[in-house]
Amino acid sequence: MPLVPLRPLMEAAEQYNYAQGAFNVNAVAQAKAVIEMHETFRSPAILQGADLANAFMGGRVDFANGTLEDKKKGARNIAAAVKKYGEHSPIPVVLHLDHGKDFDSCVAAIEGGYTSVMIDGSSLPLEQNIELTREVVKYAHARGVSVEGELGVLGGQEDHVFAATSTYTNPLDAVEFIQKTGVDALAISYGTQHGANKGKNAKLRREIPIAIKECINRLGIFCALVSHGSSTVPQYIVKEINDLGGDIQNAYGIDVNELMAAIPCGIRKINVDTDIRLAVTRNMKELFAQKPELQKSPSIGGVYTLLEEKKSAFDPRVFFPPIMDTVLTGNVPDDDVALLMSRVEAGVKEAVGSLIVGFGSYGRAPLVEQKSLEDMIAFYKK
Ligand code: G3H
Ligand code: 13P
Ligand code: ZN
């Protein structure tokens, strides 16, 4: 079936009380691996391309400087990959824009083929965030595309306690935001944090999703709550990277039990990127350690050089520039590239597989109501 919007997946998760992992991809092979792993578990799938992932997939190795044109190109490349592996899949597959920076980035993603977008106005004052999000909702819903907003600034370190200065989401503001914008999903700040340094033993403030959910239930409004910055940062992978010569310090994630406890509180989408980055980095380092002859390979030796140069990095985009054609198109020119990409895919699958089980989305694919973008256009009109 064609790629589907986010909303039906969130409705099924709400009805049957589980959560969907939402997994970031930055290469064709990663999209393939995420979809295959969900198929293995008969789980619905949410793949996300972040704003900067679109820039990278638009061919910008310096993705932080990507232009709107790069993002448009990248959105088309990611959508082509996700469609290639997802359109004939037995499971519903969503392609979601992660942390859309502005209205134009959301439009670029939708025009490229994304079926769901996040507009991240969390750095704006409430009223401006509402205004921007409403604008995106109007544009996206007219095309059947789902929208996620964000309210509150992600923290999670011990010093980010609930206080007058807290950046955790205020449930009162959240209810107002959901009512005024009509978003399908809302990212909240309740103790998670992006990246690999979330602090030891991070605890989630579950009262926040509980309060929001209770209020919107009473108002009869649907909105799925989203947990960003939710990587578990497996300690065995961090150790393996460091044993292979890496330098990853103070890396701690959110305990999977904390995440599982947040699911009945209304968390329906759980975003994970860092765990994938770590597993892919470990696998690439391991390959070059197991087969030293590949360190001088004409096609992938450059990846090894970058892994050696940037010991504290674990974003595969830092190591991928020598194999950009494969990253962008999925074309595999020789056996060395094929071997490297098989290790990349295995890393993605390791990170994603355990969380599909942890979040309880395995076996749920048949529960998702089949709704196309056209169905959703009619639904939103009502
Ligand atoms: O939440 C952010 C994601 O990890 C994406 O990261 O903006 O570097 O692509 P990125
Ligand atoms: P992590 O850095 O914890 O993987 O969070 C990813 C995320 O929130 C993407 O939006
Ligand atoms: Zn995020």
Side-chain angles (χ1 to χ4, degrees):
M1 71 186 98
L3 302 185
V4 298
L6 177 70
R7 172 90 178 221
L9 271 70
M10 296 291 92
E11 287 176 349
E14 178 67 29
Q15 187 177 350
Y16 297 99
N17 195 20
Y18 63 92
Q20 277 288 152
F23 300 103
N24 287 67
V25 296
N26 291 283
V28 171
Q30 292 181 330
K32 173 175 178 278
V34 172
I35 292 171
E36 286 178 356
M37 192 80 293
H38 284 79
E39 287 175 349
T40 300
F41 284 101
R42 283 278 151 164
S43 169
I46 304 171
L47 286 85
Q48 331 195 106
D51 219 31
L52 293 183
N54 281 337
F56 180 71
M57 284 294 283
R60 288 295 291 250
V61 292
D62 62 335
F63 49 90
N65 302 319
T67 63
L68 187 61
E69 282 313 306
D70 298 320
K71 290 179 193 173
K72 283 184 183 168
K73 197 168 150 207
R76 286 196 294 273
N77 282 339
I78 294 189
V82 175
K83 282 180 188 166
K84 177 173 172 194
Y85 299 104
E87 277 199 329
H88 303 291
S89 174
I91 56 165
V93 177
V94 177
L95 177 57
H96 175 81
L97 174 69
D98 188 31
H99 293 283
K101 186 168 149 279
D102 49 32
F103 182 80
D104 289 343
S105 298
C106 293
V107 172
I110 293 170
E111 285 180 349
Y114 279 62
T115 52
S116 180
V117 292
M118 173 185 189
I119 174 69
D120 182 353
S122 61
S123 60
L124 299 171
L126 179 64
E127 283 310 321
Q128 283 174 40
N129 188 358
I130 289 174
E131 203 175 310
L132 171 63
T133 307
R134 276 169 73 113
E135 209 185 330
V136 172
V137 167
K138 192 171 165 208
Y139 180 88
H141 282 184
R143 290 156 182 79
V145 170
S146 315
V147 181
E148 174 182 331
E150 177 164 346
L151 197 58
V153 179
L154 257 64
Q157 300 285 27
E158 276 120 284
D159 58 349
H160 257 95
V161 290
F162 180 72
T165 55
S166 170
T167 47
Y168 286 176
T169 304
N170 177 338
L172 296 169
D173 290 346
V175 174
E176 181 186 345
F177 184 91
I178 293 166
Q179 280 184 298
K180 288 188 173 168
T181 59
V183 284
D184 305 280
L186 178 68
I188 58 166
S189 165
Y190 72 125
T192 61
Q193 188 172 0
H194 289 115
N197 305 100
K198 303 182 198 296
K200 219 173 177 173
N201 302 320
K203 290 276 169 270
L204 301 183
R205 199 174 161 79
R206 292 198 290 274
E207 296 86 334
I208 295 175
I210 289 171
I212 300 169
K213 190 165 183 286
E214 179 69 14
C215 293
I216 59 174
N217 282 352
R218 280 168 186 264
L219 290 164
I221 301 171
F222 178 87
C223 181
L225 301 179
V226 182
S227 184
H228 278 243
S230 300
S231 276
T232 58
V233 187
Q235 293 301 294
Y236 72 94
I237 299 185
V238 173
K239 180 171 184 310
E240 285 172 324
I241 291 176
N242 288 341
D243 288 348
L244 287 160
D247 182 21
I248 313 282
Q249 301 302 326
N250 289 319
Y252 299 102
I254 308 292
D255 190 297
V256 73
N257 294 307
E258 278 291 296
L259 296 167
M260 283 159 71
I263 295 170
C265 307
I267 296 294
R268 300 296 169 211
K269 173 170 175 279
I270 302 182
N271 285 14
V272 170
D273 186 353
T274 296
D275 284 357
I276 295 174
R277 296 180 183 198
L278 289 167
V280 167
T281 298
R282 191 272 324 272
N283 277 10
M284 291 198 292
K285 288 174 94 67
E286 194 175 60
L287 175 65
F288 287 110
Q290 284 170 344
K291 295 183 178 288
E293 66 277 14
L294 292 177
Q295 296 170 8
K296 295 207 173 347
S297 155
S299 53
I300 65 169
V303 175
Y304 172 72
T305 306
L306 288 167
L307 282 160
E308 284 300 293
E309 272 173 21
K310 299 175 192 284
K311 293 188 185 305
S312 62
F314 57 88
D315 180 345
R317 292 175 297 192
V318 170
F319 313 124
F320 280 160
I323 52 164
M324 278 310 269
D325 181 56
T326 300
V327 167
L328 300 187
T329 64
N331 293 335
V332 175
D334 63 31
D335 289 349
D336 292 356
V337 175
L339 190 53
L340 183 70
M341 296 325 281
S342 73
R343 298 297 174 98
V344 167
E345 289 178 28
V348 172
K349 289 182 175 181
E350 176 183 342
V352 168
S354 62
L355 297 176
I356 290 173
V357 175
F359 302 158
S361 68
Y362 58 94
R364 309 286 193 171
L367 301 178
V368 176
E369 235 187 286
Q370 289 196 18
K371 285 186 190 159
S372 63
L373 292 175
E374 289 68 33
D375 293 334
M376 292 309 292
I377 293 172
F379 169 82
Y380 291 125
K381 264 191 191 148
K382 275 196 253 162

